[in-house]
Amino acid sequence: MVGTKRSVGVLAGGLLACALSWTGASGQDGLRGTIVVTNKSAASASLIDVASGRMLATIPTGDGPHEVALTRDGRVAVVTDYGGQQPGNTLTVIDVAGRRVSRTIDLGEHRRPHGIAYLPGDSLVAVTSEASGHVVIVHVGSGAVRQAIPTRHEGSHMLAFGARADRIYTGDIGSNTVSELDVATGTYLRSFTVPRQPEAIGMPADGREVWVGSNAEGKVSVVDLASGEVRTAAEGFGWPYRIVFTPDGRRVLLPDLRGEELRVVMRDGFSEVKRLAFSGAGPQGIAVTPDGAYALQSLSRQDRVAIIDLSTYDVVRHLTTGPSPDGVAYTTTVFAN
């Protein structure tokens, strides 16, 4: 299945807002690069220069953009168009350097695309289709769907995999399971029963375990893939929205949307090392810089992203986004000119 190209410029007023797009002191933290943030209520994505805070462009997407994946060089971003009242079934491919939509990929029957990540090599993305119950493997350059792997469970919303990416794991909200899929054969392998309504899911690079958040029970659990044992790592969440590991695999970052805080837990021993309050902010998507020095936390009710120094857990500054930011991706590549 091949997506159709469309030539779209930035939204009117996007570049005019550049001077107003940043709050904080430029360059104090030394962080450079570019972020791509999805704006759910505006059906758009913001491209932001991190060092200056300047809004480079506001790019139109499909309805209800939720998550975003970025190539290692930062040149191509892919957004899942989840939809609103009507289910979405497209991916918006963004030429970050060119600040434009380069392609819209039609996923056909695979509606409600949500979780997304690039597979090694940066030519294929893995995408969950919540409505069809598949993980779809898509060639971004051609728009072709290469595989549709059934999860055999309901509400497969987010996905995770380790550095080898030979297995993909999904949190199945409707079935209270985590599904394990074989990428090479395109088949379902097995599932693990976990606490109810598992949405957030994450995996360290070594691929030994899966962390999953329960919306119904407000806890984060760890599935040991060798033994199948499910252990509780942290409790007392309002909504454990996402699960992200630091690059060294030692710390786990857990935004709590309803609890309005970011919790940081050690992978080994599950000890909590920090709670960072975001009262009234609505913390949602989160990304970590490749060197593990900073986290970028989207704040959906404040229309901005917080930059967090992970050595001190201080918020060093904010970047202004579009309305209702959710998914966020970071690259060290600078595209400002």
Side-chain angles (χ1 to χ4, degrees), residues 130-274:
E130 186 180 297
S132 73
H134 288 79
V135 168
V136 184
I137 309 299
V138 182
H139 187 271
V140 176
S142 67
V145 174
R146 294 286 181 83
Q147 286 181 308
I149 310 173
T151 67
R152 296 190 184 178
H153 293 89
E154 296 181 3
S156 301
H157 191 68
M158 297 293 292
L159 57 75
F161 49 81
R164 292 175 58 189
D166 56 339
R167 301 285 190 271
I168 293 176
Y169 299 85
T170 60
D172 310 317
I173 297 176
S175 300
N176 306 325
T177 54
V178 167
S179 294
E180 181 181 69
L181 313 177
D182 184 280
V183 176
T185 62
T187 57
Y188 164 89
L189 295 177
R190 57 177 173 165
S191 66
F192 306 88
T193 299
V194 295
R196 292 175 298 138
Q197 296 180 11
E199 176 179 346
I201 190 167
M203 190 175 208
D206 61 33
R208 293 186 301 177
E209 60 197 33
V210 178
W211 286 53
V212 60
S214 163
N215 292 350
E217 300 179 36
K219 63 174 65 174
V220 171
S221 304
V222 180
V223 181
D224 185 302
L225 295 175
S227 67
E229 180 186 6
V230 179
R231 296 175 292 163
T232 298
E235 298 181 272
F237 291 87
W239 184 349
Y241 195 76
R242 294 291 175 262
I243 297 172
V244 173
F245 287 81
T246 53
D248 61 10
R250 297 181 60 208
R251 291 176 289 177
V252 192
L253 308 184
L254 307 167
D256 184 350
L257 178 57
R258 290 200 185 102
E260 297 191 315
E261 61 187 8
L262 172 64
R263 294 169 65 169
V264 183
V265 173
M266 298 303 295
R267 177 186 175 189
D268 293 335
F270 308 149
S271 60
E272 184 175 295
V273 296
K274 186 66 179 180

Side-chain angles (χ1 to χ4, degrees), residues 12-320:
L15 293 178
L16 295 178
C18 292
L20 304 177
S21 66
W22 166 77
T23 57
S26 177
Q28 287 185 350
D29 47 63
L31 183 61
R32 292 167 54 83
T34 307
I35 62 169
V36 181
V37 187
T38 60
N39 305 309
K40 284 196 293 191
S41 64
S44 68
S46 297
L47 311 184
I48 303 171
D49 177 64
V50 175
S52 67
R54 184 162 65 94
M55 184 82 73
L56 301 176
T58 302
I59 306 294
T61 66
D63 195 22
H66 280 226
E67 301 298 319
V68 56
L70 200 56
T71 53
R72 289 182 182 272
D73 63 9
R75 293 188 171 276
V76 180
V78 186
V79 172
T80 53
D81 303 324
Y82 184 78
Q85 291 186 343
Q86 296 299 316
N89 71 334
T90 59
L91 305 177
T92 298
V93 182
I94 299 171
D95 173 357
V96 179
R99 305 178 191 179
R100 65 184 185 92
V101 173
S102 59
R103 172 185 296 276
T104 298
I105 299 174
D106 187 339
L107 299 177
E109 66 182 297
H110 300 295
R111 299 180 303 279
R112 294 293 192 197
H114 194 276
I116 186 169
Y118 266 97
L119 294 172
D122 281 358
S123 64
L124 303 172
V125 290
V127 184
T128 58
S129 166
E130 186 180 297
S132 73
H134 288 79
V135 168
V136 184
I137 309 299
V138 182
H139 187 271
V140 176
S142 67
V145 174
R146 294 286 181 83
Q147 286 181 308
I149 310 173
T151 67
R152 296 190 184 178
H153 293 89
E154 296 181 3
S156 301
H157 191 68
M158 297 293 292
L159 57 75
F161 49 81
R164 292 175 58 189
D166 56 339
R167 301 285 190 271
I168 293 176
Y169 299 85
T170 60
D172 310 317
I173 297 176
S175 300
N176 306 325
T177 54
V178 167
S179 294
E180 181 181 69
L181 313 177
D182 184 280
V183 176
T185 62
T187 57
Y188 164 89
L189 295 177
R190 57 177 173 165
S191 66
F192 306 88
T193 299
V194 295
R196 292 175 298 138
Q197 296 180 11
E199 176 179 346
I201 190 167
M203 190 175 208
D206 61 33
R208 293 186 301 177
E209 60 197 33
V210 178
W211 286 53
V212 60
S214 163
N215 292 350
E217 300 179 36
K219 63 174 65 174
V220 171
S221 304
V222 180
V223 181
D224 185 302
L225 295 175
S227 67
E229 180 186 6
V230 179
R231 296 175 292 163
T232 298
E235 298 181 272
F237 291 87
W239 184 349
Y241 195 76
R242 294 291 175 262
I243 297 172
V244 173
F245 287 81
T246 53
D248 61 10
R250 297 181 60 208
R251 291 176 289 177
V252 192
L253 308 184
L254 307 167
D256 184 350
L257 178 57
R258 290 200 185 102
E260 297 191 315
E261 61 187 8
L262 172 64
R263 294 169 65 169
V264 183
V265 173
M266 298 303 295
R267 177 186 175 189
D268 293 335
F270 308 149
S271 60
E272 184 175 295
V273 296
K274 186 66 179 180
R275 290 196 189 194
L276 198 60
F278 287 106
S279 299
Q284 292 197 354
I286 189 167
V288 180
T289 57
D291 61 4
Y294 295 94
L296 299 117
Q297 174 71 68
S298 69
L299 304 176
S300 61
R301 288 193 282 273
Q302 293 183 344
D303 300 344
R304 58 184 185 169
V305 166
I307 299 177
I308 303 163
D309 185 329
L310 291 179
S311 66
T312 63
Y313 299 109
D314 292 326
V315 175
V316 294
R317 56 190 171 104
H318 293 89
L319 304 170
T320 298

